[in-house]
Amino acid sequence: MRIKDVTIRLLKMKMKFNFTTSYGSMQEKEFLLLEAKNEDGLSGWGEGDAFSVPWYTEETVKTSMHMLEDFLIPAIINKDINHPDEVSEILKPFKRNHMAKAGIEGAVWDLFSKEKGIPLSQAIGGTKTKIDVGVSIGIQKTADELLQVIEQHLNEGYKRIKIKIKPGQDIEIIRHIRKHFPHVPLMADANSAYSLKDIDRLKELDEFDLMMIEQPLAADDIIDHAKLQREISTPICLDESIHSYGDVKMAIELGSCKIINMKVGRVGGITEVKRIHDLCEKHQIPLWCGGMLEGGVGRAHNIALSSLPNFILPGDTSGSSRYWNKDIIEPEVIVRNGSILVPDRPGIGYEPDLQTIKQYTVLEKTLK
Ligand code: OSB
Ligand code: MG
């Protein structure tokens, strides 16, 4: 395979709801779309996960643009690539910038699968034909509003509810939810809002039968997470702490978590996801696919990842219509009875809708 040119598009899409976490709020999603063309004019598509502001990791849309334009795309263009696994090797001289790398590597994976005429899920070793999905609900103004949103999503069939918590908006809210929904599969994501000083409060969560608590402590608190996990029975799931295979190895050896939230952008691409997947499978650490409020292309990639066998728990890959009035792919991602069918068409299995993409595009550049 040879990539002849790559088009980078910067899109701005308004979300249907305001998404609030312990870091802050967002309602407009700005992101990069990558279209990599081969010599026959066939296109592979990838999506950058970075946001406009570096609150989740250090990357932003602008740093991704800089990396892609000045280093990553020039390194792969016109090179002979036999398999997408080679991309992460080619990009190794450039440190980190995982979301930018995953964006272009994802486009190469889609193109590779299309050239072979197989679904992306199959190209990466996925085995499932249907995946279970949950929903990640942001912090709401009142506990009653939160209950309403939960009920609405349960009615739509979502298989587990994730709520966002922070100090002062945690125990009482979860108690309120449990009073109304005693048996719903429920978890809480703190996005690093706590420290070990809060251990007594975190211990109180044990009475609510949560599936897990996601990222209670800071991203680099791998050791403190291990200390916390020894003190609480609720399983810890790591999100912001996991950037690589090495991080996962460390977390497993130290006992920092029992579950991992996988995001392809955070770990730098599908090849790294596969390595982590196999390591976690060996150590019986279940995975699930996290979300970055993706547009349809990133969403399609997440669906393919979720078809890998050790993605055991429902992911955050909700349907297109939850986020967007109109998504950028055809057909849109549809959730039925809490599941999404893994497409059996070649590549990501959804067609990027160029007309709609154009409407959301604020900047476009082609590199040759
Ligand atoms: O912590 O998992 C997170 C969204 C943006 C950044 C971080 C996170 C999230 C979500 C939403 O929880 C998941 C989604 O619906 O895409
Ligand atoms: Mg999270």
Side-chain angles (χ1 to χ4, degrees), residues 90-110:
I90 298 172
L91 301 182
K92 219 171 215 162
F94 310 112
K95 299 289 175 267
R96 303 233 185 201
N97 291 284
H98 287 177
M99 292 179 178
K101 286 179 178 171
I104 185 63
E105 194 233 35
V108 175
W109 271 101
D110 180 33

Side-chain angles (χ1 to χ4, degrees), residues 17 19 21 23 26 29 51 55-56 134-138 162 164 189-191 214-215 239-240 261 263 266 288-294 299 302 316-318 322-323:
F17 53 89
F19 191 72
T21 70
Y23 298 123
M26 64 183 272
K29 163 103 176 161
F51 298 121
W55 52 263
Y56 174 78
V135 64
S136 170
I137 300 172
K162 160 167 146 183
K164 297 282 185 180
D189 185 358
N191 289 108
E214 182 175 337
Q215 196 69 40
D239 174 356
E240 284 92 327
N261 164 335
K263 292 184 188 171
R266 207 185 53 232
W288 55 276
C289 189
M292 292 286 281
L293 311 163
E294 283 91 349
R299 201 161 293 285
N302 286 343
D316 276 347
T317 301
S318 311
R322 177 183 175 228
Y323 306 85

Side-chain angles (χ1 to χ4, degrees), residues 25-66:
S25 294
M26 64 183 272
Q27 184 148 17
E28 192 178 54
K29 163 103 176 161
E30 195 187 16
F31 65 99
L32 299 180
L33 256 193
L34 290 136
E35 179 183 7
K37 271 205 183 110
N38 71 5
E39 286 155 316
D40 304 326
L42 195 61
S43 291
W45 292 79
E47 189 172 314
D49 261 354
F51 298 121
S52 319
V53 181
W55 52 263
Y56 174 78
T57 67
E58 66 277 21
E59 290 183 82
T60 68
V61 169
K62 276 193 187 163
T63 68
S64 291
M65 187 64 130
H66 164 48

